[in-house]
Structures are given as structure tokens and as C-alpha cells.
Amino acid sequence: MDSCETLDVIYLRLCLTRKEEPQENVLKKLQASNFRDDGIVDLSNLTITATTCSILAEIFRHDVAVVKLIMADCMISEKSLKSLLIGLSVNTCLRKLDLRGNNLKQLACDALGSFLKSNHFITHLLLEWNCLGHFNNSFANFCDGLATNTSLCHLDLRNNQIDHKGAQELATAVTFNKSLKSLDLRWNNIGMSGGRLICDALKKNKTIEMLEICGNDIPVDICDNMETSLFHNRNKGSSSDPDQLKVNALHKEIELIKKGNKKKIECIVDNMEADRSHLMYATSCSSTQIANLLQTLEERKLAMNTLRAKLDMTEANMKMLEQQHQGKEMLVQLARKDCQELIKTHENERSLDRKCMDANERKLQEQLRDAENMISSLQSKVVDSERRGKIQTEEICLLRKSLTQTECEYRCQMTTLEERSLAERKRFCEEMADRERRREQESKKQLEEAELVRTCSSQRVNQVMSSKAEMQDEIMKLNKSLLDKQTEHDAEISNVRKHLKQEYELERCQLDERIRSLLDDKADLQKSLASTSGQLREEKSQREAAEIEAKAGRGSLSKVKNQIEIRQAEHEQELQSVRTEMRKREINNQEELNQVSELRASIKKLLAAQDEHEIKFRAAVKEREDIIQDLRSSLQKYEDEADRTREEETRRLDVLHNALMNYMQSSQLNRSTGPQRRNQASLLAKKTTDENPL
């Protein structure tokens, strides 16, 4: 393969040798990569076949000038990816490989493990949105390859379904790997056990500086421990002084603890607000449902009122019919009496009256037919009213069921909310107790260290005092003044240490370092005094020979006195600055404590408001249940009244039917009556029909 050939030319040549058609979109991407000088080949969002993958494997088997290969969202099959990785395992120019969103599974995971074992030139590997952690055995092979690789610096394993077993394999790989610097494990299923394993592995590994692990259900304390180990790895080799490293690490740990506490408090407040919004939403939904139920009940009341009005109309019509029937009965009685009187006198006029009676019979039959039609219509109305009553009863049953369901849902929601609030309270109390224990332990340790420093300093002072006993009176005066000042400084330091009991480890370490520096200054002064004492001894032996040397020694002593006074003034200034700093820090700590107390008070207020809201909600639910029961009782009363009215209507219809049958029988008997009485009866019947056409 010629080094001057471009990627598109090599691709076309290999396609011709294999007698296969090249993909146009792949050709375009390869041609576009020729115009770029950074060595990036972007084949993302393309549907790459198995043949093109095998051809690309042959291309990349040689050292082609490609630094970064992007094949994201190509949906490559596992076999074709395996062949491609076999070709890339020999390449020494490739540094970055992007295989995001390809749904890689078991075979691809094994191929990636063998690729990492063989290729020691790759530095960046991006495997987001795949399924590598779903198969534990193949993921173990991948982790074995990662453990043996010596060039990989950045690994992206987001959204790969890695569980606690996969986290165990990954932790073993991290302990043995010595080149990886950043690892991205966001949005997996690692959990608490997997997080602990990874935290233990990070303590052994000293190269990883960045770790993204959110979205894995890992507790905050484990995440804080991970961040501390990562911080130690970042600061490794940055400064040679171990004391500064310890101080910086303690600074960062205290900041992380403060951030964790703030995050916990914010999470608690957010959860309370979410629960409160959920309760408000539930109450609003219940109020809307109850309002809808009340509207439906009012509509049904209106329907019942309309039915009542119709029943009243039917009753008024029935009363009118009864009055008409009574009038007809009276007329029938009068006609019977007249017929009995006129039977004897009008037997000869029957032939003439028959025609009139036939006409009257036809009219009466028509009237009977009309009455029967009216009865049938009334019966159909009664049937419709019964159907409506049944439908209303069914709807009432459905409403009862829905009310019971809503009551059960509200009870379940209230129980879950109470359990959550209790769990959150327990967690908050446990966290506060742990913090207080830690603070007490730290204060005890620091007090012990301070006592050790005091004992050491007292021993050194005693030794110096024993050596100074042989000096002159002037030196004794100086020693006395120094001892007095030392006692004053010790008293001030003890007072400062009493104030520093509530501070963090970092501040006390700084104070210890400053005290050590002061002790070093004292040791220097003592050394200078020892040198002056030696000079004075020599002067005593040589007094007879050289008084001039004694004067020079006195001058040197005066200079030493001046130096001691200057250093004492500097020491007092430093103590004043330390006191001012401590006062400021005490003020800041008091402000933080006030904020915490305010947060606790707000949490208590929220809990009290929540309890009051729950009590009000339960009272409202009880009131609405009572209202619903009253409405149900009223509905039952209306149903009973409707049943009674139906029975009365059926009875009245039976009475009317019997009366009409009796009237028909009486009309057959009255055919032998006179024409005058019959005309009167027909006129009365016409009047009644005109008055009440029904």
C-alpha cells in the first residue's frame, strides 16, 4: 500500500479487487477527510455494511495517517465490528476511537477486550449508549484488556447498563491499570456496593484524576471519599512539601463536607416542596372531582324536579278524567232511570232509534280507540321513566365506586407521605449526631497534640535554664524577663487554643505550624544566648588579660537584648493578627450555625404546616363524605316517591279501564231508550270531549 494514496483511492481499489460496489456516503466522508489536516475521519450516522467494515479493517491494518475515527450511531453489527477491531489492533497511528450509540453487546465486548490487550497506542475510547455491562462474562474480558493496557487515558462508559458485578470487574481493572486518567461512568446501575468497590480501587490507583459517576444511586459519603482520592492523585507531585499537601487536602475535605451538607439540606427542602406540591395537586384534583359530582347531582335534581312536574301534570289530568267519569256515571244513572220509564212507552220507535244509536256507537268506539292510544302512550312514558330511574341508579353506583377508589388512593398517598417524612427525619437526626461525634473526636485529638507540644517546650526551657544558671546577673535578669513573657505567651496561647476547640482541622494545623515557628525562634534565641554565655565564660578566664574583650561582650549582649525585644514585638503582632482571624472565623461559624438553626426552624414550620394541611384535608374529605351520604339519602327518597307515583298511576289506569268497560256494557243496554235522552247523552259526551280532548 502506497503512503501517497488517499483513503478514498484505497477504498475504491479494494472494492474493485473484491468486485463489490462502494458505498457513496462512505466515499464522500473519506473524500472530505482528505481536505482536513487534523487526521479525523468522521463516519457517524451512516449505515455501514459488513463488506465496508472488512475493507476498512484492511485499510486501517496499515499505519494510515488517521488520528481519530468517529463511528457513532452507525448501528454496526457485532461481527463486522469484530473484524474492524482486528484491523485496528495493529494500527499505531490511531489515538481516538468513537463507537457511541451502536448497541454493542457480547461479541463486541469480547472484541474490545482483545483490542485493548493488543493495541497500546490508543488514548481515547468513547463507548456511550451501548449494552456492554449487560453480559458479565464478556464485560470481565473487557476489564481484563483494560487492566493490561498501558496507553488508554480517557474511557467513556456512560449508559452501558453496568451493575454491581460489572463494577467489581471494573474496580479490579482500575487497580492494575497505570495509564488511565479520566473515567466516565454516568447513568449506570452501579449502586452502593459497586461504588464502595470503585472507591477502594481509587485508593490503590494513583493515575486517575477525573471520575464522573452521577446517576448511579451511590450515597454522598462514598462520592466524597472518591473525590478526596482523586484530589490526592491530582496534587501528587505538584509540591514537594508534605505539610502543604496535608493542609490543602484538609481544606478540600472541609469544603467537600460543607458542600455535601448544603446539598443534603437543599435536597430535604426540595423533597418537602415536592411533597407539598403533590398534596396541593391531590387536594385540587379531589376538589374538582367533588365539584363535578355536585354538578351531576344538581343536574339529576333538576331532572327529578322535571319528572315531578310531569307527574303533577299527569295527576291533574287524571283528576280531570275522574271528574268527567263521575259526570258520565251520573248521566248513565239518569239514562237508566229514563230507560226504565220509557221502555214500556217507546217500543215501537226502536227501528228509528237504531240508526242513531249506530252512529253514536261509532263515535264512542272512536273515542275508546283514542283513549286506548292515550293509555298506551302513558304506559310508554311510564316505561321510559322506569328506564331513566334504572340508569340513574346505575350512575349512582358508579359514583359510589369512584368515591371509594378515590378514598383508597388518598389513604395510600397519605401513608406514603408519612413514611417518607419519618425516614427523612431519621436521616437528618443521624447525620447531625455523626457530625457532633466527629467534631468531639477531632477536638480531643488536637488537645492531646497541644499537650505534647507543651511538654516538649517545657523540657527544652528547663534545659536552657540549667545552662543559664552560671551567667551574670544581667543575663539572669534577661532570663527572668524572658520567662515572664513566655508565661504570658503560654497563657495567651492556652486561651487561643480554648477558643479554637470548635474550629476545623485545617485551622488548628495552621496554628500548630505557627506555634512551631515561634518555638524555632525561641530555640534560635537560646542558641544565641548559649553562644554569649560561652563568650562570657571565656571573658572570665581572660579578665586579667583583656578587659576590652569584656566590654565587647557587653555590647554584644545589648545587641542581643535589642534583637529579643524586636522579636517579641513581632511575636505580639502575629498573636494579634491570629486573634483577629479567629474572631472573624468565630463570627462566620456563628452565622453558619444561625443559618442551620433557621433552616431547622423552617423545616419544623413546614412539617407543622403539612400536618395542619393534612388535618384540614381529612376534615374536608369527611364533610364531603357526609354531603354525599345526604345526597344519597335524598336520591333514595326521590326514588321511593317515584315508585309510589308509578303504583298510583297504574291503579288509576286500572280504574279507568274498568269504568270504560262498564260504560260499554251500559251503552249496549241503552239502545232501547228514546231519542231525546240519547241526544242529551250525546251532547254531554261532546262537551266532555271538547273540554278534555285527551
Side-chain angles (χ1 to χ4, degrees):
M1 187 179 288
D2 294 330
S3 60
C4 295
E5 289 182 346
T6 57
L7 292 173
D8 54 350
V9 175
I10 297 165
Y11 178 71
L12 289 170
R13 184 165 56 77
L14 290 171
C15 288
L16 289 171
T17 54
R18 291 189 179 187
K19 295 181 181 180
E20 290 178 354
E21 292 182 359
Q23 289 186 355
E24 291 181 357
N25 49 10
V26 175
L27 254 178
K28 289 178 182 178
K29 292 285 185 179
L30 293 173
Q31 288 173 0
S33 65
N34 292 326
F35 296 102
R36 300 179 69 172
D37 296 327
D38 51 1
I40 296 171
V41 177
D42 190 359
L43 299 176
S44 60
N45 297 317
L46 297 178
T47 55
I48 298 170
T49 60
T51 56
T52 54
C53 281
S54 63
I55 292 164
L56 290 171
E58 286 185 5
I59 292 167
F60 291 116
R61 191 171 292 168
H62 302 280
D63 291 331
V64 184
V66 176
V67 178
K68 184 176 180 181
L69 179 61
I70 300 170
M71 298 184 74
D73 297 323
C74 293
M75 297 303 289
I76 306 168
S77 63
E78 292 183 349
K79 293 180 180 179
S80 59
L81 182 64
K82 187 176 180 181
S83 64
L84 180 63
L85 290 172
I86 289 166
L88 290 171
S89 62
V90 187
N91 195 341
T92 60
C93 294
L94 188 67
R95 296 291 182 270
K96 295 180 182 180
L97 181 60
D98 190 353
L99 295 173
R100 293 177 294 175
N102 286 304
N103 196 12
L104 302 179
K105 293 182 181 178
Q106 190 172 5
L107 292 173
C109 194
D110 292 329
L112 286 167
S114 61
F115 169 73
L116 290 172
K117 286 179 183 178
S118 59
N119 192 344
H120 293 281
F121 297 94
I122 192 80
T123 58
H124 290 73
L125 184 59
L126 304 177
L127 299 171
E128 186 184 359
W129 286 105
N130 289 303
C131 299
L132 299 177
H134 188 68
F135 304 95
N136 292 319
N137 294 322
S138 60
F139 191 72
N141 294 325
F142 174 77
C143 292
D144 291 334
L146 179 62
T148 57
N149 195 349
T150 59
S151 64
L152 191 65
C153 296
H154 180 75
L155 180 61
D156 190 355
L157 292 173
R158 287 178 287 176
N159 293 308
N160 271 285
Q161 298 180 6
I162 298 168
D163 55 359
H164 61 282
K165 294 180 181 178
Q168 185 178 2
E169 297 293 334
L170 191 63
T172 55
V174 167
T175 54
F176 291 106
N177 193 349
K178 294 181 181 179
S179 63
L180 195 64
K181 290 184 180 179
S182 67
L183 181 62
D184 197 347
L185 296 173
R186 287 178 287 179
W187 307 111
N188 287 302
N189 297 318
I190 292 170
M192 184 172 69
S193 60
R196 285 177 180 172
L197 293 169
I198 291 168
C199 184
D200 294 331
L202 287 172
K203 290 177 182 178
K204 296 176 182 179
N205 191 350
K206 294 182 180 179
T207 58
I208 293 174
E209 295 178 357
M210 290 294 294
L211 178 64
E212 296 292 335
I213 201 161
C214 65
N216 284 291
D217 294 330
I218 297 171
V220 178
D221 54 353
I222 296 170
C223 292
D224 293 334
N225 291 325
M226 289 180 185
E227 286 181 0
T228 53
S229 59
L230 291 170
F231 179 73
H232 287 302
N233 290 332
R234 287 193 204 100
N235 290 327
K236 185 181 177 182
S238 62
S239 61
S240 61
D241 193 2
D243 293 327
Q244 289 182 359
L245 287 172
K246 289 180 181 179
V247 169
N248 293 323
L250 290 169
H251 271 298
K252 292 291 183 181
E253 286 178 357
I254 290 163
E255 288 178 358
L256 290 170
I257 289 162
K258 287 181 180 179
K259 288 180 181 178
N261 293 327
K262 286 181 181 179
K263 286 180 181 178
K264 286 178 183 178
I265 292 163
E266 288 175 356
C267 290
I268 290 163
V269 174
D270 293 329
N271 290 321
M272 293 294 290
E273 289 178 356
D275 294 331
R276 187 177 179 184
S277 64
H278 185 69
L279 284 170
M280 292 294 288
Y281 180 73
T283 52
S284 63
C285 291
S286 63
S287 62
T288 52
Q289 287 178 359
I290 290 162
N292 291 321
L293 290 170
L294 290 170
Q295 287 179 359
T296 53
L297 288 170
E298 288 176 356
E299 289 175 357
R300 286 179 182 173
K301 279 183 182 180
L302 293 170
M304 291 297 290
N305 291 322
T306 54
L307 289 170
R308 279 185 181 178
K310 288 180 180 179
L311 288 169
D312 293 328
M313 291 292 289
T314 52
E315 286 177 357
N317 291 322
M318 291 296 290
K319 287 179 182 179
M320 291 293 290
L321 290 169
E322 285 177 357
Q323 289 177 0
Q324 290 176 2
H325 183 66
Q326 288 176 1
K328 287 180 181 179
E329 284 180 352
M330 292 294 289
L331 291 170
V332 168
Q333 289 176 1
L334 291 170
R336 284 177 182 175
K337 289 178 181 179
D338 292 330
C339 287
Q340 287 176 1
E341 291 175 355
L342 294 170
I343 284 167
K344 295 178 181 179
T345 58
H346 296 286
E347 289 178 352
N348 295 321
E349 296 177 354
R350 287 179 182 176
S351 60
L352 297 172
D353 294 329
R354 283 178 183 175
K355 293 179 181 179
C356 295
M357 288 299 292
D358 291 329
N360 290 321
E361 283 176 359
R362 288 174 185 174
K363 290 179 180 179
L364 290 169
Q365 285 177 0
E366 289 176 357
Q367 290 177 0
L368 285 169
R369 288 173 185 173
D370 295 327
E372 286 175 355
N373 291 321
M374 289 296 294
I375 290 162
S376 63
S377 64
L378 290 169
Q379 287 178 355
S380 64
K381 288 179 181 179
V382 170
V383 170
D384 292 329
S385 63
E386 287 177 355
R387 287 177 184 173
R388 289 177 183 175
K390 288 179 181 179
I391 291 163
Q392 289 174 357
T393 54
E394 289 176 355
E395 289 178 352
I396 289 161
C397 292
L398 291 170
L399 289 169
R400 288 174 182 174
K401 289 179 181 178
S402 64
L403 286 168
T404 54
Q405 289 178 359
T406 52
E407 288 175 356
C408 293
E409 289 176 355
Y410 290 147
R411 288 174 184 172
C412 293
Q413 289 176 0
M414 292 297 291
T415 53
T416 53
L417 289 169
E418 289 175 354
E419 289 175 355
R420 285 180 185 174
S421 63
L422 289 170
E424 288 175 353
R425 287 176 186 173
K426 288 179 181 178
R427 288 178 186 173
F428 187 74
C429 293
E430 289 175 357
E431 288 175 356
M432 294 301 291
D434 291 331
R435 288 179 190 171
E436 289 176 354
R437 288 174 186 172
R438 289 176 184 174
R439 287 178 183 175
E440 289 175 357
Q441 290 176 0
E442 289 173 357
S443 64
K444 287 178 181 178
K445 288 179 182 178
Q446 290 175 358
L447 287 168
E448 289 175 357
E449 290 176 358
E451 287 175 357
L452 289 170
V453 171
R454 284 180 185 175
T455 54
C456 293
S457 63
S458 64
Q459 289 176 2
R460 289 179 184 176
V461 170
N462 290 321
Q463 290 176 2
V464 172
M465 290 296 291
S466 65
S467 64
K468 286 180 182 178
E470 296 176 356
M471 292 178 72
Q472 292 179 358
D473 293 329
E474 292 177 353
I475 295 166
M476 291 295 289
K477 289 178 182 180
L478 290 170
N479 286 323
K480 287 179 182 179
S481 63
L482 285 169
L483 287 169
D484 293 328
K485 288 178 181 179
Q486 282 178 358
T487 54
E488 289 176 358
H489 291 305
D490 290 328
E492 290 177 355
I493 289 162
S494 64
N495 291 320
V496 170
R497 285 176 182 172
K498 287 178 183 179
H499 288 293
L500 288 170
K501 284 180 182 179
Q502 296 178 354
E503 292 295 326
Y504 293 102
E505 292 181 357
L506 179 68
E507 294 172 354
R508 289 185 179 179
C509 291
Q510 289 177 357
L511 288 170
D512 291 330
E513 287 177 359
R514 288 182 181 177
I515 290 162
R516 287 174 186 174
S517 65
L518 293 170
L519 291 169
D520 293 330
D521 294 330
K522 287 179 183 178
D524 294 331
L525 290 169
Q526 288 171 2
K527 287 178 182 179
S528 64
L529 289 168
S531 64
T532 54
S533 66
Q535 290 175 2
L536 288 169
R537 286 175 184 176
E538 289 177 356
E539 287 175 358
K540 283 179 181 180
S541 64
Q542 295 176 0
R543 274 180 186 176
E544 293 176 355
E547 292 179 354
I548 298 167
E549 292 179 357
K551 290 180 181 179
R554 288 176 184 175
S556 64
L557 285 170
S558 64
K559 289 179 181 179
V560 168
K561 287 179 182 179
N562 292 322
Q563 289 178 359
I564 289 164
E565 289 176 355
I566 290 162
R567 288 182 181 178
Q568 285 177 356
E570 290 176 355
H571 183 64
E572 287 177 356
Q573 289 178 359
E574 287 178 356
L575 285 171
Q576 287 178 359
S577 64
V578 169
R579 286 174 184 174
T580 53
E581 287 179 358
M582 289 302 297
R583 286 174 184 174
K584 289 179 181 178
R585 287 173 184 174
E586 285 178 356
I587 291 162
N588 291 321
N589 288 321
Q590 286 178 359
E591 289 177 355
E592 289 178 355
L593 290 169
N594 291 322
Q595 289 178 0
V596 171
S597 63
E598 288 177 357
L599 287 169
R600 287 178 182 172
S602 63
I603 289 162
K604 288 180 181 178
K605 288 179 181 178
L606 289 169
L607 290 170
Q610 186 179 2
D611 295 330
E612 291 177 357
H613 185 69
E614 288 177 356
I615 292 162
K616 289 179 181 178
F617 181 73
R618 288 176 182 173
V621 169
K622 286 181 181 178
E623 290 177 358
R624 287 174 182 173
E625 286 178 354
D626 295 331
I627 291 164
I628 289 162
Q629 287 179 359
D630 294 331
L631 292 169
R632 287 175 182 171
S633 62
S634 63
L635 283 169
Q636 287 179 358
K637 288 179 182 179
Y638 290 143
E639 287 176 356
D640 294 332
E641 288 178 359
D643 292 330
R644 288 175 186 173
T645 52
R646 286 171 191 167
E647 289 176 357
E648 288 177 357
E649 284 178 357
T650 53
R651 288 175 185 173
R652 287 173 183 173
L653 289 169
D654 291 331
V655 170
L656 285 170
H657 185 69
N658 293 321
L660 289 169
M661 293 299 291
N662 291 322
Y663 183 75
M664 290 290 292
Q665 289 176 2
S666 65
S667 65
Q668 288 178 1
L669 293 171
N670 290 327
R671 287 179 182 176
S672 62
T673 58
Q676 293 178 357
R677 295 288 183 185
R678 289 173 185 172
N679 291 323
Q680 289 177 359
S682 63
L683 290 169
L684 288 169
K686 286 180 181 178
K687 287 179 181 179
T688 55
T689 53
D690 292 330
E691 289 175 358
N692 190 2
L694 295 171

